[in-house]
């Protein structure tokens, strides 16, 4: 036998608390002690873990839920369940833990049958676009399509989830655009903000909240209050620091008004953020800077701004990154950035376009638009809550909120590093739980899509009721998820003509023709099953599993989802061709109707599986199969009810492009 007693003197530090392993129990095992007021670090693992509290009391924090525990409590953590053990009492909390690997249980945890968000409200944000132009396919393929498909999939799985964005009116790009167009900043912002909303509608991206920062009456005072909380935290301080000015106009230079070599990677970059390496710059650290107004070398001077010494908050960022889905690319950016000795970030700038702080020290400055956005997200949630009758407030965000951000890599620093620190400073009682989904740049004919240079295919050029599903499919398949990808009109046309019309539609129309010819246009019931029939059913189930995995938060990839949809059609076509000869020979009708029922099941699975990516197509396909529009994600592959009216022959799902796009 084994007898092992808790010995406070034999512990050593692990997972942020004191632990000692116990050997020989047949599973991993350890004693643990959490001091009063202490807590283990937030973590998740593949082992199943059993915890027995033997002394003290505290709370187990699992996801957003807190469970009180005391001596005599037993708890079990499923694989990957994020958990923290907190001591809320005044004496040591002592526990014994046992943990073991159970692969089947781990796989089951990784593939839940409903939304992994449970009952929590989920707020999905696509980056608020800058109203200095309309949206092009580069924008649409990135955060907007990503967020929309994510929300649609989660809704089908029962999540309480909303898509929020807005118009980021106080960007300096708006000022730059207004100069070029000879209009006021506010006119430019209002004009393009409305255009953007319309383009999202054309892309079948409905929004639950669209905050227009320059037009929302409650926004300005609430933002100023948020900024005051930052000032009151004493973490941001008005500081006279080095700055650049235009030698001719004397204008203070930042963002679009200055460019030079990035101090991080050396690439050409604009002020404040490098699109290539993702690191911030302070403008004065640019190599060979050029002032945009005059086109000449800037002159150095001094400006007073509120400055955040971000390097002092590296632990806040690290702790935050333990909680949610934070892609390795973002963790790497944080690790790289915090290798710098100092990272001083001005959070206000001298400008007359933006919102001036309450504070006297803020005179002549505006709250920088990027810190502003950190508040804007919370404000959007509050506004949404007002319409839904929920008491969500920006001043008191709740720990059960799940926030999900979709953005391009050049916004990584702001979203995943700066904002968690601002939240910690302004709202110290809140533990934000945020997932991040990041995309790279989309190129158009080999060059970056660019609003300011007008190098783009605009959403309105290509989107209409006939093209929207094809555009969404093509962008899903080719959007730059892991690396830069290139858009060409030729490739789009090729996919439309050969894949969507030449393969998908051809198969669906042909299937409809066979149902019309042999079964009077209604779905036959399956009869006798051959081993190949059962094999195909298994193949469809595997395809559903792969498609599901590509839409879940952990493995979210529209590249993969679109590839799975296409592969599902390819599977069905191969099966159809193999079975065709028997049908033509006129023999074995019980087996032939099984094959037809299975092809219809494949089409119904396509209708459900395509709903997040191609909602219009999905609804029309379901209708052509005599089925209601797909609103629940399937947990298995089902035959459509025998007798369902099938109108696949008469339905046109995709049409060739009718207008000139170049
Ligand atoms: Zn760089």
């Amino acid at each position: 036998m084994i007898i092992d007693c808790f010995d406070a003197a034999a512990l050593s530090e692990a997972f942020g608390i004191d632990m000692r392993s116990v050997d020989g129990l047949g599973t991993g095992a350890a004693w643990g002690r959490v001091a009063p007021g202490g807590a283990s670090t937030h973590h998740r693992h593949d082992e199943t873990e059993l915890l027995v509290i033997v002394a003290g009391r505290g709370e187990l924090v699992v996801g957003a839920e807190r469970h009180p525990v005391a001596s005599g409590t037993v708890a079990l953590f499923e694989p990957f369940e994020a958990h923290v053990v907190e001591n809320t009492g005044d004496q040591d909390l002592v526990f014994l833990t046992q943990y073991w690997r159970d692969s089947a249980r781990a796989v089951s945890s990784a593939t839940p049958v409903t939304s992994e968000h449970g009952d929590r409200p989920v707020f999905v944000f696509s980056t608020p676009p800058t109203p200095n132009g309309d949206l092009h396919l580069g924008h649409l393929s990135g955060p907007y399509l990503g967020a929309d498909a994510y929300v649609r999939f989660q809704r089908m799985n029962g999540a309480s989830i909303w898509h929020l964005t807005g118009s980021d009116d106080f960007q300096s790009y708006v000022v730059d655009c207004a100069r070029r167009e000879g209009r006021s900043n506010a006119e430019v912002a209002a004009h393009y903000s409305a255009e953007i909303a319309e383009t999202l509608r054309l892309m079948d991206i409905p929004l639950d909240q669209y905050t227009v920062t320059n037009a929302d009456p409650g926004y300005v005072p609430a933002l100023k209050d948020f900024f005051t909380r930052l000032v009151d935290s004493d973490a941001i301080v008005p500081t006279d620091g080095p700055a650049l000015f235009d030698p001719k106009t004397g204008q203070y230079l930042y963002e679009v008004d200055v460019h030079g070599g990035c101090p991080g990677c050396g690439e050409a970059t604009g002020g404040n953020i490098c699109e290539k390496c993702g690191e911030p710059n302070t403008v004065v650290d640019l190599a060979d800077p050029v002032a945009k107004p005059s086109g000449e070398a800037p002159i150095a001077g001094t400006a007073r701004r509120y400055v955040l010494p971000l390097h002092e908050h590296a632990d806040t960022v690290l702790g935050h990154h333990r909680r949610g889905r934070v892609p390795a690319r973002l963790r790497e950016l944080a690790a790289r950035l915090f290798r710098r000795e100092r990272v001083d970030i001005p959070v206000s700038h001298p400008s007359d376009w933006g919102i001036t702080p309450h504070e006297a020290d803020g005179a002549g400055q505006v709250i920088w638009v990027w810190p502003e956005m950190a508040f804007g997200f919370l404000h959007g949630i509050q506004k949404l809550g007002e319409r839904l009758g929920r008491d969500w407030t920006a001043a008191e965000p709740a720990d059960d909120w799940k926030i999900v951000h979709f953005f391009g890599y050049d916004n990584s620093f702001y979203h995943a590093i700066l904002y968690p620190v601002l939240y910690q400073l302004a709202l110290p009682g809140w533990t934000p739980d945020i997932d991040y989904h990041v995309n790279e740049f989309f190129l158009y004919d080999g060059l970056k899509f660019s609003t300011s240079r007008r190098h783009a295919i605009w959403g309105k050029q290509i989107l209409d009721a006939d093209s929207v599903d094809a555009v969404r499919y093509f962008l899903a398949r080719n959007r730059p998820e892991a690396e830069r990808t290139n858009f060409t009109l030729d490739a789009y046309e090729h996919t439309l003509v050969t894949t969507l019309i030449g393969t998908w539609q051809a198969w669906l129309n042909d299937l409809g023709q066979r149902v019309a010819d042999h079964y009077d246009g209604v779905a036959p019931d399956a009869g006798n099953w051959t081993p190949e029939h059962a094999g195909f059913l298994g193949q469809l189930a595997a395809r559903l599993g792969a498609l599901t995995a590509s839409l879940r938060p952990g493995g979210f990839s529209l590249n993969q989802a679109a590839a799975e949809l296409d592969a599902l059609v390819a599977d069905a076509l191969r099966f159809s061709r193999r079975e065709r000869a028997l049908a033509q020979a006129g023999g074995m009708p019980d087996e032939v109707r099984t094959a037809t029922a299975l092809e219809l099941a494949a089409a119904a699975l396509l209708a459900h599986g395509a709903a997040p990516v191609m909602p219009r197509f999905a609804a029309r396909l379901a209708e052509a199969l005599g089925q209601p529009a797909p609103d629940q994600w399937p947990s298995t592959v089902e035959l459509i009810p025998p007798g369902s009216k099938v109108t696949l022959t008469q339905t046109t799902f995709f049409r060739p492009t009718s207008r000139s796009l170049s």
Side-chain angles (χ1 to χ4, degrees):
M1 71 177 294
I2 294 171
I3 291 189
D4 192 293
C5 296
F6 176 72
D7 175 4
L11 303 169
S12 57
E13 198 277 333
F15 300 105
I17 57 174
D18 302 314
M19 299 193 73
R20 177 176 66 82
S21 61
V22 181
D23 297 329
L25 298 192
T27 67
W31 290 105
R33 178 185 65 182
V34 189
S40 62
T41 51
H42 186 277
H43 68 294
R44 51 172 84 80
H45 44 67
D46 67 324
E47 291 100 336
T48 306
E49 180 177 3
L50 182 79
L51 197 75
V52 183
I53 311 286
V54 298
R57 61 189 177 81
E59 287 184 339
L60 302 181
V61 188
V62 179
E65 291 178 8
R66 307 182 77 89
H67 306 272
V69 292
S71 58
T73 305
V74 175
L76 183 126
F77 302 115
E78 295 293 344
F80 312 120
E81 230 171 15
H83 53 277
V84 171
V85 184
E86 271 186 26
N87 185 341
T88 55
D90 49 15
Q91 54 165 312
D92 279 354
L93 183 153
V94 178
F95 63 84
L96 178 75
T97 172
Q98 275 190 281
Y99 49 92
W100 60 94
R101 284 216 157 85
D102 177 339
S103 309
R105 200 161 185 156
V107 167
S108 162
S109 270
T111 52
V113 291
T114 55
S115 168
E116 38 281 274
H117 298 308
D119 295 334
R120 303 171 63 181
V122 188
F123 308 105
V124 180
F125 289 93
S126 45
T127 314
T130 302
N132 66 330
D134 205 342
L135 294 182
H136 52 59
L137 293 191
H139 298 121
L140 289 168
S141 71
Y144 308 100
L145 179 60
D148 182 63
Y150 184 98
V151 168
R152 288 177 186 275
F153 173 77
Q154 288 291 332
R155 261 190 199 146
M156 291 177 82
N157 283 279
S160 301
I161 189 165
W162 298 274
H163 185 175
L164 305 85
T165 189
S167 166
D168 194 18
D169 290 355
F170 296 114
Q171 286 280 354
S172 55
Y173 284 96
V174 172
V175 182
D176 189 53
C177 178
R179 251 187 322 248
R180 275 185 285 118
E181 297 191 359
R183 293 197 271 180
S184 76
N185 298 341
E187 279 170 350
V188 162
H191 171 75
Y192 286 115
S193 169
E195 294 289 326
I196 287 166
E198 171 62 10
T199 300
L200 290 171
R201 196 189 62 76
L202 288 171
M203 183 74 171
D204 284 343
I205 298 179
L207 298 169
D208 300 296
Q209 167 66 23
Y210 187 73
T211 306
V212 180
T213 54
N214 191 34
D216 185 316
Y219 183 78
V220 171
L223 169 68
K224 291 184 182 206
D225 290 348
F226 179 81
F227 192 81
T228 294
R229 287 181 181 224
L230 289 175
V231 174
D232 289 348
S233 77
D234 294 330
I236 68 165
V237 178
T239 311
D240 292 315
L244 298 183
F245 299 86
D246 190 278
K248 289 238 170 83
T249 67
Q251 187 191 331
Y252 169 80
L253 300 173
Y254 75 128
E255 296 194 328
V256 286
D257 287 321
V258 58
H259 58 91
C262 170
C265 69
E267 290 282 315
T269 177
N272 303 86
I273 198 79
C274 174
E275 293 185 345
K276 179 86 194 313
C277 69
E279 290 189 30
N281 63 66
T282 56
V283 174
V284 288
D285 52 8
L286 293 172
D288 305 319
V290 176
K292 191 167 175 185
S294 67
E296 295 178 10
I299 50 172
T302 302
R304 190 168 181 79
R305 293 160 301 194
Y306 280 92
V307 173
L308 169 67
L310 192 65
H311 50 275
E312 292 174 7
H313 305 281
D315 286 347
T316 298
V317 175
L318 236 62
H320 174 72
H321 284 186
R322 284 178 179 281
R323 263 167 207 286
R325 177 197 194 269
V326 184
R329 190 125 160 71
L330 302 185
R331 295 174 192 262
E332 184 272 337
L333 173 62
R336 178 155 39 93
L337 185 66
F338 288 123
R339 279 204 296 271
R340 292 194 202 169
E341 199 171 314
R342 298 191 66 90
V343 185
D344 292 298
I345 303 292
V347 293
S348 65
H349 289 284
S351 172
D352 53 12
W353 179 238
I355 297 165
T356 304
H358 282 305
E359 288 67 24
D361 280 315
Q365 302 175 53
V366 297
I367 299 167
W368 190 25
V369 70
W370 289 102
E372 184 197 313
M373 191 185 288
F375 167 77
F377 293 135
L378 305 182
H379 180 79
I381 292 172
Q382 178 172 325
K383 298 292 282 187
L384 174 68
E386 285 167 11
R387 284 202 309 284
L388 298 176
R390 307 287 289 265
D391 58 349
W392 299 325
T393 67
E396 283 179 68
D399 284 355
D400 76 334
W401 293 4
K402 181 76 191 185
I403 293 176
V404 183
H405 282 307
F406 280 80
F407 52 85
Y409 182 68
D410 54 331
N411 285 346
S412 300
F413 165 72
Y414 304 120
H415 282 79
I417 298 174
L418 179 61
Y419 297 172
V421 173
L422 298 180
Y423 290 144
Q424 168 62 28
L425 295 172
L427 304 160
W430 180 42
T431 307
D433 180 0
I434 308 180
D435 282 2
Y436 301 95
H437 293 262
V438 61
N439 62 269
E440 302 293 326
F441 277 107
F442 208 19
L443 306 178
Y444 168 40
D445 286 343
L447 296 171
K448 271 186 209 167
F449 272 90
S450 166
T451 302
S452 49
R453 286 182 288 107
R454 302 297 192 243
H455 173 72
I457 295 280
W458 304 97
K460 291 200 182 83
Q461 270 177 279
I462 195 167
L463 289 169
D464 59 36
D466 286 332
S467 68
V468 62
D469 287 312
V471 171
R472 287 177 63 113
Y473 172 82
F474 185 81
L475 296 183
R477 186 88 197 241
N478 297 289
R479 68 200 287 269
E481 290 179 351
E483 55 195 18
R484 292 180 176 197
T485 54
N486 188 37
F487 177 88
T488 67
L489 275 173
D490 284 350
Y492 167 73
E493 288 293 335
H494 182 78
T495 297
L496 173 59
V497 171
T498 62
T499 303
L500 297 176
I501 297 175
T503 308
W504 292 30
Q505 179 156 310
W507 166 56
L508 293 169
N509 287 162
D510 174 66
L511 173 59
Q513 194 60 53
R514 284 180 278 132
V515 174
D517 291 348
H518 303 298
Y519 306 99
D520 290 334
V522 298
D525 197 359
N528 196 33
W529 290 60
T530 68
E532 292 99 315
H533 292 157
F536 181 59
L537 181 66
Q539 198 177 4
L540 291 178
R543 199 59 77 190
L544 170 60
L547 185 58
T548 306
S550 70
L551 290 165
R552 289 215 174 275
F556 189 83
S557 164
L558 294 186
N559 290 169
Q560 187 65 31
E564 293 296 342
L565 292 173
D566 194 37
L568 167 59
V569 174
D571 291 344
L573 261 172
R574 265 194 305 275
F575 174 75
S576 179
R577 289 193 189 110
R578 280 202 311 261
E579 297 287 319
R580 186 78 48 103
L582 186 59
Q584 281 163 350
M588 303 184 77
D590 287 348
E591 284 76 6
V592 171
R593 63 191 167 96
T594 304
T596 306
L598 277 167
E599 271 190 71
L600 289 168
L605 181 60
L606 180 63
H608 278 88
V613 176
M614 309 156 80
R616 201 178 280 251
F617 164 74
R620 299 188 73 205
L621 177 53
E623 191 187 349
L625 293 166
Q627 307 303 307
D631 59 357
Q632 280 193 342
W633 190 254
S635 57
T636 187
V637 180
E638 289 184 63
L639 301 177
I640 67 171
S644 301
K645 187 160 175 52
V646 175
T647 54
L648 285 171
T649 0
Q650 301 94 303
T651 308
T652 302
F653 298 104
F654 304 101
R655 292 175 198 280
T657 306
S658 56
R659 51 183 163 160
S660 169
L661 295 172
S662 44

